[in-house]
Amino acid sequence: MENKKTLGKDRKPEWRQHLKPWFTLLSFLSLFWVGWILWEAWPQALSAMNHFDARWLALTLLGTTVYSYLVFEVFYLLFRQGIRAAYSKKELSHLFFVAQLMKHLPGRIWGIIYQASQTAQTSIGQWLSVNIAFMLLMMFFSVWIASVFLSYFLSTFWFILVIVCGLAIYFCIWSNRTFKLFTRLLNRLTYKRAIQWLDTLEPYAVSSSSSKVKILLVATTSWTFYYLAWGAFGHAWPDLNFLSGLQLCALYTLAWFIGYLAFVFPSGVGVRELVFLYFARDFPPEAIAAMIVFGRSILLIADVFLGVLFITPKHIFLKNKIKGP
């Protein structure tokens, strides 16, 4: 009996050991795939470059890269809150940014499987739960901050109202009480297996006020850099200005949110652009076309830069003992 138990424990990480080299290869293939997408978009980008001020465009790339890194800081704070595994920030940054590269492959699940295949301390269910919590949080911030900037162009009243309502939703709905109410409601509507799976999200529902404030500050700072980058983008185009860039950023972010829900498509490709074209129909068509090309290209460049920066892990995670289920 004892030998069987020991054998079972030894076998537990076997699937990781088998999948690890394949998913390491997939991480390099995803890097190649993103590079290919950029190469395909390069002729269009080059033709649009004649209209841009290159210095302001460089600031757009810098702001987007800072935004992408700060998004990881949000993920890091969430991970530390929900999963007690001894990973350093450097290890997690590798797992996060390589997964970000893999999101450009068909389906977002590959990045999560990669994270699980490289680590022995954390189960695939735990990786799934932290990524879902992160996705929900980023969707909230994307819609809220886009609404804040769009309301600014309406009136001061709407601007203040949207800020206050967003903060109230953030602090009131993000609570253990709301989570339990939601699971009780689901319990009546669906089967118990779904509720058991939702239990893995509970550590993220139970959060102190200080943790919420810290995540709020980091997330809003990241989005501030993103909007400043788009403001620079608007300033770089001769027929637009800084405020036009901010407005277009809010519209593009709402289109991004809709594309984010399109799990079937690689990183919402196609969906985001079509929705953005509809939202921004009152702006110059050539400026919108250029922004679609550069908007995606700059995000891809930031993903490639950070992915390459963190793609080689300096630690072999599978050497660690399994602490969780």
Side-chain angles (χ1 to χ4, degrees):
M1 288 289 288
E2 194 174 336
N3 288 336
K4 280 186 179 179
K5 282 183 182 178
T6 309
L7 193 63
K9 282 186 180 179
D10 292 336
R11 278 183 165 182
K12 197 168 188 180
E14 270 189 9
W15 71 272
R16 289 186 173 92
Q17 290 168 346
H18 290 309
L19 287 179
K20 187 178 178 181
W22 292 104
F23 273 89
T24 302
L25 176 63
L26 190 61
S27 68
F28 286 99
L29 287 175
S30 62
L31 180 62
F32 173 79
W33 173 253
V34 173
W36 177 257
I37 294 171
L38 285 170
W39 179 260
E40 287 287 301
W42 181 246
Q44 291 173 288
L46 203 61
S47 63
M49 277 290 288
N50 299 325
H51 300 279
F52 281 108
D53 184 330
R55 293 168 299 176
W56 284 93
L57 205 58
L59 286 175
T60 302
L61 179 58
L62 178 64
T64 305
T65 306
V66 174
Y67 154 78
S68 297
Y69 178 77
L70 288 174
V71 164
F72 159 69
E73 290 288 343
V74 174
F75 180 84
Y76 176 69
L77 290 170
L78 266 179
F79 186 93
R80 287 187 62 186
Q81 180 182 312
I83 300 172
R84 294 185 179 182
Y87 304 136
S88 67
K89 184 179 277 192
K90 194 174 288 186
E91 290 169 340
L92 277 176
S93 62
H94 161 76
L95 294 166
F96 179 81
F97 288 116
V98 174
Q100 287 294 98
L101 277 176
M102 287 186 175
K103 75 182 180 182
H104 299 289
L105 297 171
R108 300 179 185 278
I109 194 67
W110 298 114
I112 299 171
I113 297 173
Y114 173 80
Q115 290 169 335
S117 70
Q118 301 295 306
T119 55
Q121 289 186 19
T122 311
S123 69
I124 191 167
Q126 289 173 310
W127 278 114
L128 191 60
S129 64
V130 69
N131 276 281
I132 287 172
F134 171 72
M135 182 182 70
L136 291 172
L137 198 62
M138 291 309 291
M139 284 196 293
F140 165 76
F141 278 111
S142 69
V143 174
W144 176 43
I145 294 175
S147 302
V148 167
F149 275 92
L150 289 173
S151 65
Y152 173 79
F153 294 99
L154 293 175
S155 68
T156 307
F157 170 76
W158 284 108
F159 178 66
I160 294 169
L161 182 66
V162 171
I163 291 174
V164 172
C165 287
L167 288 171
I169 291 168
Y170 178 78
F171 284 104
C172 296
I173 290 185
W174 187 4
S175 66
N176 193 34
R177 184 181 295 177
T178 308
F179 178 78
K180 285 181 178 177
L181 188 67
F182 179 69
T183 50
R184 257 188 236 132
L185 181 65
L186 274 182
N187 197 20
R188 291 181 181 179
L189 299 174
T190 187
Y191 50 91
K192 288 186 178 179
R193 279 190 181 179
I195 307 302
Q196 289 171 357
W197 180 79
L198 275 171
D199 287 343
T200 60
L201 290 173
E202 192 170 0
Y204 307 101
V206 183
S207 182
S208 64
S209 297
S210 60
S211 295
K212 289 178 189 176
V213 169
K214 195 179 289 185
I215 289 171
L216 175 70
L217 289 174
V218 177
T220 50
T221 303
S222 71
W223 281 102
T224 300
F225 273 100
Y226 187 65
Y227 275 82
L228 288 174
W230 272 79
F233 203 97
H235 194 83
W237 186 267
D239 296 330
L240 299 173
N241 55 38
F242 193 85
L243 285 177
S244 297
L246 295 180
Q247 193 172 1
L248 282 167
C249 181
L251 296 172
Y252 189 79
T253 304
L254 291 177
W256 170 87
F257 168 70
I258 294 168
Y260 205 83
L261 297 176
F263 290 97
V264 178
F265 302 95
S267 196
V269 65
V271 178
R272 180 189 304 171
E273 285 76 8
L274 285 172
V275 174
F276 181 57
L277 277 172
Y278 176 75
F279 284 165
R281 60 190 180 277
D282 295 331
F283 288 88
E286 62 277 4
I288 300 309
M291 284 191 160
I292 285 173
V293 173
F294 275 99
R296 176 165 286 276
S297 298
I298 285 172
L299 280 169
L300 286 170
I301 290 167
D303 282 345
V304 168
F305 172 73
L306 293 168
V308 169
L309 199 63
F310 295 101
I311 204 165
T312 307
K314 293 187 177 180
H315 304 272
I316 300 171
F317 304 131
L318 285 170
K319 282 184 178 178
N320 298 326
K321 293 179 182 179
I322 298 170
K323 291 183 181 178

